[in-house]
Amino acid sequence: MVKRAHEILAKQPGNDLTRVNDFAHIASQSSKIARKLGNIRNQFGGGHGRAHMPDIRDEMVDLALDGGLIWTRWALRRLGLFSEGRPKDLIRDLVEEPATFRSGDLRRRLEAANLPDLEPHHQRELGIAVGQRVMRQTFVVRWDGLDPCLESDDLTVWPADYRIGLLHGLWFAPDDQPTMTPWLLRKGIEVIDPIPDASEELEEQVKLACRSTQFFPPDTDLKDREGTVKWLENHITDRPASERPALTLMLQYLTDAPPPVVPHN
């Protein structure tokens, strides 16, 4: 159990944690000490049906305690970050049972989640949750979970599935009803720009959006709407040919009356 726990916690990222070889070696050696405590308990512990208590010296107790505490303290320092980064807990705090986020909280928890190494479905689920919290105008979540992604083309730090999840979260509520505004439309498309070809995912999201009878809220400023149409017209030519049908459908929906009929799959 100690060995497996150490393997997991040793990979835990965190701003105040280190993976420098010499220090990692110290932690690894301390885990070996902790594993030895099982043998010591079997040889010298009570409750094993012994007729006589083993001869236990004070130094034996001190060594066992000190050795075990080194690894235990190391593990506990990392365990908090490990818990903070669990995808289910983070999604719960973002949208299911919204918790208060302060500046830097989400950045720390995304780092603790080890976003690049998560399963793709967890990356996407986290992206959706962050996007939906941004859609609710939680600015600190936007600053930590959306803006750095928009500013970066790195698909390792900000994986494709996280970006696609962000697009969905920015555009749709948890019940898949569109929450589109001109700003959310732009940011949703911009966040997937570094993905070489997101045609399948983009088509799915656009068709889902176009099933709504109302794309933007009725009080949307006309200039914002017109500006978004012009921006989209220019943006279509910058994207791969495979994505253009979906973007063209969205443009048609924004400019035509009545909107095009989108068949259900």
Side-chain angles (χ1 to χ4, degrees):
M1 183 181 296
V2 171
K3 181 179 180 181
R4 180 58 182 149
H6 185 87
E7 289 173 351
I8 294 172
L9 293 175
K11 299 175 183 176
Q12 177 62 46
N15 189 50
D16 294 323
L17 303 183
T18 181
R19 293 189 185 181
V20 176
N21 286 341
D22 287 342
F23 291 94
H25 184 68
I26 291 173
S28 178
Q29 293 302 310
S30 73
S31 75
K32 294 178 181 178
I33 295 174
R35 279 182 273 164
K36 287 289 185 182
L37 296 180
N39 295 335
I40 292 173
R41 180 185 180 279
N42 291 336
Q43 293 180 42
F44 297 96
H48 291 278
R50 295 188 177 94
H52 302 284
M53 285 294 295
D55 181 21
I56 301 176
R57 308 296 175 90
D58 287 348
E59 187 181 40
M60 296 164 66
V61 176
D62 292 339
L63 280 171
L65 179 61
D66 292 344
L69 284 176
I70 293 174
W71 183 81
T72 302
R73 287 169 175 161
W74 173 88
L76 287 174
R77 283 192 293 269
R78 290 172 175 251
L79 191 59
L81 286 172
F82 176 79
S83 299
E84 279 196 328
R86 289 169 60 89
K88 288 185 179 180
D89 293 345
L90 187 46
I91 291 168
R92 178 201 63 207
D93 291 345
L94 282 164
V95 291
E96 294 172 359
E97 300 174 20
T100 299
F101 281 81
R102 294 177 175 81
S103 181
D105 285 353
L106 180 60
R107 186 185 297 269
R108 184 188 69 249
R109 293 186 67 173
L110 285 175
E111 183 180 8
N114 204 3
L115 190 60
D117 290 337
L118 287 178
E119 294 290 334
H121 70 95
H122 281 144
Q123 294 173 349
R124 190 168 298 203
E125 289 165 359
L126 275 176
I128 291 172
V130 171
Q132 288 174 346
R133 190 64 183 262
V134 170
M135 176 268 295
R136 298 179 188 179
Q137 298 187 345
T138 305
F139 294 108
V140 291
V141 170
R142 170 186 160 186
W143 298 336
D144 287 346
L146 174 64
D147 289 352
C149 186
L150 286 168
E151 294 165 3
S152 172
D153 291 337
D154 195 325
L155 290 174
T156 300
V157 176
W158 303 102
D161 279 283
Y162 177 77
R163 292 173 181 271
I164 293 166
L166 276 174
L167 181 150
H168 183 92
L170 291 170
W171 287 7
F172 301 99
D175 61 359
D176 280 344
Q177 291 300 309
T179 54
M180 199 81 69
T181 67
W183 185 86
L184 291 172
L185 185 150
R186 289 193 191 194
K187 297 308 173 185
I189 293 176
E190 287 175 354
V191 81
I192 65 168
D193 272 351
I195 303 174
D197 184 357
S199 54
E200 291 184 13
E201 293 83 0
L202 184 60
E203 180 182 14
E204 179 183 352
Q205 303 303 317
V206 170
K207 285 185 175 181
L208 184 60
C210 289
R211 289 175 187 159
S212 172
T213 57
Q214 182 173 286
F215 206 77
F216 290 146
D219 59 349
T220 299
D221 184 83
L222 181 59
K223 288 185 178 180
D224 284 346
R225 183 187 182 98
E226 292 174 346
T228 299
V229 168
K230 188 172 183 61
W231 175 86
L232 189 56
E233 287 174 339
N234 294 330
H235 194 76
I236 288 175
T237 59
D238 295 332
R239 295 303 297 161
S242 57
E243 292 183 9
R244 291 174 190 170
L247 294 173
T248 301
L249 175 63
M250 175 173 281
L251 182 62
Q252 183 183 1
Y253 190 94
L254 288 172
T255 56
D256 284 2
V261 176
V262 180
H264 290 266
N265 293 330

